[in-house]
Structures are given as C-alpha cells and as structure tokens.
Amino acid sequence: MNEDLRNVVLGVLATGVSASLGWLTRTYVWRRRHRRKQAFFGLRDGAECLLVVNRKAGGERVVHNVDVSALIELSVLIKDCGARPEIVQHDMARQGLGDRTEFCVGGPYSNRRMAAHLSSLLPGLAMNVEPEPVEDQGMFTVDGEVYRGVYGLTEYAVLARLTGGEGGRPVFLFCGQSAITNQAATRYLARHHEKLARTYGSGPFVLLLKVVNSEAYGPDVVELIADVTRAARTAPATASEPAAT
C-alpha cells in the first residue's frame, strides 16, 4: 500500500471514529436530558398519566377551544416523555393523588378537581369564585396580597407542582383567571421546565404568573411575579390562633 492510499484509509477511519464518537455523545446527552425530563414530570416510558379538563362557562360537557390548545401542548410534553395521557372530565376524576402524574387545567369555578386541590394542597391561596362584584371575579389572594385581573390587559395564573398520596407522583396545576391564562401557564411550563427542574428538582413549587396584554399577544408574554410556595402551602392563622413569630 503506497503512502497516498494509506493516508486516505487512515482519513476514512478517523472520520468514521469521529462520527461514531459524536453520535454516542449526542445519544448520551439526549438520554440524560430525557431521564431528567421524565423525573421532573414523574413519568416513564409507557406510563399513563391523567389530564383533567375543565368545562367552558355555560356548558356542562364543553371545553373551551383555548383550553383544548393547552391540552394539546401538554400532550406533546407527555408524549416526549414516552408516556400516554388519559383525558378525564373534571367531575369524573374520582381518584386520589400520587398513583399517576396529573395535569389539572382550569380555575375552581369550572373545575371541581382544581377546587379540591386548592383546598387540600394550597390552603394559603384563595381564588374568588363569586360572580359579584365583577371586578373581583377570579381574584387571587396569597400571603396578604390581592391580585385582580383586567381581562385582556393584565391577568394572573398559578402554576404549581405538588405531591401527595403514597405513590409520590406529582400533580401539576394550571389555574388561571381565564382560558388564555390557563394556556399561558401550560406554555410557561413547556418553555421553562428545564430551568424549573434545575431550581426545584423533584420538589414542590407554586408560581404566580402575570399574563400581559393577552388580547394582543395571546398566551406568549408571561412574567414570573413571585414564588409563593411557602405561603400558598401554609394555612392562614385563624382569629383564635395568632400567627407564629
């Protein structure tokens, strides 16, 4: 074999080895990110999780078209983790927590399951469900602060990851003041789940989000207002039980 032919062969071999190492590295990185994503969402290959949907105002079995879009975005996340979603109406989801990962969409006025979660898991966070006065509809109260929304201009949503029950699987809450804010919360999770996983690991979090000018920007312009995890998970002191100092 002359020198030129030997150089060609060595070059081909080096290219092949380099390509193989590159493929192995990319595969390792992808698998590592995939495992981290699965751990954050409490999912694994072939697992089944619960997607709890709310109802559209004025209809018992109708889902708002914006909430349908939110469900589609969540389904993409779930399938990326190798899992399968089971979609259940809010008033048909009669099961406990922890056995399966749950994604619950909608405020307590349109989602009974969400109302139960807020009551049992987030006793320090309240959402007004009374129709009057109009300006207080959907108002959040947490840690002594009040967050009233102005439809289409400034609205709020709560995004939470919580655990309960014996199985240890998380429940994700997307509780907004309108359908567009529900979707804004799901989109925020889709865009920032890696950062949230680095910050909180597999622990709980409760985030208050502000949706800016949804009439112009839809669910895309979202600001993180505060991490209210501690306050939302702590029951407020009663009149006969002074707050701890």
Side-chain angles (χ1 to χ4, degrees), residues 56-71:
K56 182 179 179 180
E60 286 300 317
R61 289 290 182 264
V62 180
V63 181
H64 197 289
N65 62 329
V66 177
D67 285 326
V68 172
S69 297
L71 296 175

Side-chain angles (χ1 to χ4, degrees), residues 103-245:
F103 300 86
C104 191
V105 178
Y109 41 81
S110 62
N111 188 323
R112 295 179 190 174
R113 181 84 170 174
M114 180 65 75
H117 289 330
L118 294 183
S119 176
S120 61
L121 300 176
L122 299 178
L125 184 147
M127 187 176 189
N128 181 45
V129 296
E130 299 299 328
E132 298 293 340
V134 175
E135 60 270 18
D136 287 348
Q137 289 182 14
M139 175 181 70
F140 286 111
T141 304
V142 60
D143 201 21
E145 297 290 334
V146 172
Y147 300 89
R148 291 181 178 87
V150 179
Y151 182 77
L153 295 177
T154 301
E155 298 159 277
Y156 297 94
V158 167
L159 167 63
R161 181 192 190 276
L162 304 165
T163 54
E166 296 182 357
R169 300 293 177 185
V171 53
F172 290 87
L173 306 183
F174 309 90
C175 180
Q177 294 176 330
S178 63
I180 199 71
T181 55
N182 296 335
Q183 186 183 13
T186 63
R187 188 162 295 182
Y188 187 91
L189 179 68
R191 290 176 172 175
H192 299 284
H193 64 85
E194 290 185 353
K195 180 179 179 180
L196 293 172
R198 289 194 298 269
T199 302
Y200 299 101
S202 58
F205 60 79
V206 186
L207 306 180
L208 183 67
L209 308 175
K210 181 170 73 173
V211 183
V212 180
N213 201 352
S214 63
E215 285 194 337
Y217 304 128
D220 286 329
V221 181
V222 180
E223 299 176 4
L224 174 61
I225 298 299
D227 179 335
V228 295
T229 306
R230 184 175 181 180
R233 299 179 70 211
T234 304
T238 63
S240 59
E241 180 184 344
T245 57

